[in-house]
Amino acid sequence: MPSLSHQRQSMPRGVRHQRVLPGFGISLGVSLLFISLILLLPASGLIMQTSQMTWQEYWFAISDPRIVASYKVTAGAALIASLFNGAIGLLFAWVLVRYDFTGKRFIDALVDLPFALPTAVAGVTLATLYADNGWIGSVLANLGIQVAYTPIGVMIAMMFTSLPFVVRTVQPVLEEISQEEEEAGTLLGASDFAVFWRVILPTIKPALFVGIALSFTRSLGEFGAVIFIAGNTPYVSEITSLMIFVRLQEFNFPAASAIASVILMASLSLLFAINLWQGRYLKRIHGR
């Protein structure tokens, strides 16, 4: 009886390379239909709502001083949270990839907790923990540090919800790095920092930047986890997504769409820039 490998070699070329999933036309059609229903249709509704406004009305809706203050709070907190997640997420991914220890699988699964946990539940839990009478907040309050109902609370909520983006983006890249290159650098007399800076970081840099960008864009639109701990004080801890919600409660749908369009354009621009940079970086690396 011929072996399985002999049977595969004797198969016609067209049959051997036949894909298990449907062909290109069907796969592309289903993918585009799904994208249209899930992504493009809501975006089209946003554009239609905004198109009902004149340019003066649109500018008035997005440039209100209270709205501008919410931009600053949201963008500033998201930037600090994403940079913090970049450092901690890299360290977290390094531990999960390079070390074996008891409870590793549990901690690895725990990274995805913000994805599984409803954001409102996360917000209530964080507000309870970091309030002045909470387990963590009471200790910080004795040190003169208030977290809940301040911009610091906004940053903590954003860190919690967006940390997995960095860990899960960097982790598979670290797994593919050969330790032989690190050992070679060590044998040549390089310090641990030099090995990290010259060998490891150039390899993981694209993934790390993408993870930070995803963390930032995720934080820009965060709502449920933030409003419970932010305090929502105008000009202090009020986030942009809350202002969108306020406009919706006022049945001012065009104004809500206008504010949402600012966040949407900022997120899409950042993602496009990161993808463009990543493509050029990889092309330059592979071209060497």
Side-chain angles (χ1 to χ4, degrees):
M1 184 175 179
S3 63
L4 181 59
S5 60
H6 178 74
Q7 291 179 359
R8 289 180 177 175
Q9 293 177 359
S10 62
M11 292 174 62
R13 184 174 181 179
V15 177
R16 187 166 65 247
H17 290 281
Q18 185 178 4
R19 300 294 185 262
V20 177
L21 294 178
F24 172 75
I26 298 177
S27 301
L28 179 62
V30 173
S31 301
L32 292 178
L33 176 62
F34 180 82
I35 291 175
S36 299
L37 294 177
I38 303 300
L39 297 179
L40 297 182
L41 189 61
S44 300
L46 180 67
I47 295 174
M48 291 178 61
Q49 287 286 348
T50 308
S51 63
Q52 300 177 8
M53 310 173 68
T54 63
W55 170 250
Q56 290 77 12
E57 292 173 339
Y58 178 82
W59 180 254
F60 178 79
I62 65 174
S63 62
D64 180 86
R66 185 175 174 183
I67 303 297
V68 173
S70 72
Y71 295 153
K72 295 178 180 179
V73 172
T74 304
L79 179 61
I80 296 175
S82 59
L83 293 177
F84 180 86
N85 283 344
I88 298 301
L90 173 58
L91 183 62
F92 216 134
W94 180 270
V95 171
L96 292 175
V97 171
R98 294 302 177 90
Y99 299 99
D100 291 322
F101 52 90
T102 304
K104 176 180 177 179
R105 292 185 179 273
F106 173 75
I107 295 178
D108 191 17
L110 199 63
V111 173
D112 295 325
L113 179 62
F115 289 155
L117 190 67
T119 56
V121 175
V124 172
T125 304
L126 291 174
T128 303
L129 290 175
Y130 285 96
D132 290 343
N133 57 350
W135 291 350
I136 303 176
S138 58
V139 177
L140 296 176
N142 293 331
L143 300 175
I145 303 174
Q146 183 178 0
V147 175
Y149 317 126
T150 66
I152 300 178
V154 175
M155 288 184 285
I156 289 178
M158 290 180 176
M159 292 175 192
F160 174 82
T161 56
S162 60
L163 178 63
F165 287 97
V166 179
V167 178
R168 295 313 186 200
T169 305
V170 176
Q171 187 176 358
V173 180
L174 281 175
E175 292 175 347
E176 295 179 358
I177 297 179
S178 174
Q179 297 189 24
E180 296 178 356
E181 298 179 1
E182 303 174 36
E183 295 173 356
T186 303
L187 293 175
L188 291 174
S191 63
D192 292 340
F193 178 78
V195 172
F196 172 79
W197 187 261
R198 296 182 179 274
V199 178
I200 300 176
L201 186 60
T203 304
I204 65 174
K205 185 165 60 174
L208 181 61
F209 280 3
V210 170
I212 293 174
L214 291 176
S215 175
F216 180 79
T217 54
R218 174 70 174 85
S219 299
L220 286 180
E222 182 54 46
F223 178 70
V226 175
I227 58 172
F228 292 100
I229 194 174
N232 308 319
T233 304
Y235 302 96
V236 177
S237 60
E238 206 168 43
I239 59 174
T240 304
S241 55
L242 176 64
M243 298 309 303
I244 298 173
F245 180 72
V246 170
R247 293 295 181 264
L248 290 175
Q249 285 187 319
E250 297 171 351
F251 298 99
N252 193 349
F253 300 115
S257 300
I259 301 171
S261 68
V262 175
I263 299 298
L264 178 62
M265 288 187 292
S267 300
L268 290 179
S269 299
L270 179 61
L271 291 177
F272 177 77
I274 289 294
N275 288 331
L276 184 63
W277 170 84
Q278 186 182 27
R280 292 183 177 179
Y281 178 85
L282 295 177
K283 184 182 296 185
R284 186 172 68 252
I285 292 297
H286 294 309
R288 292 180 178 177

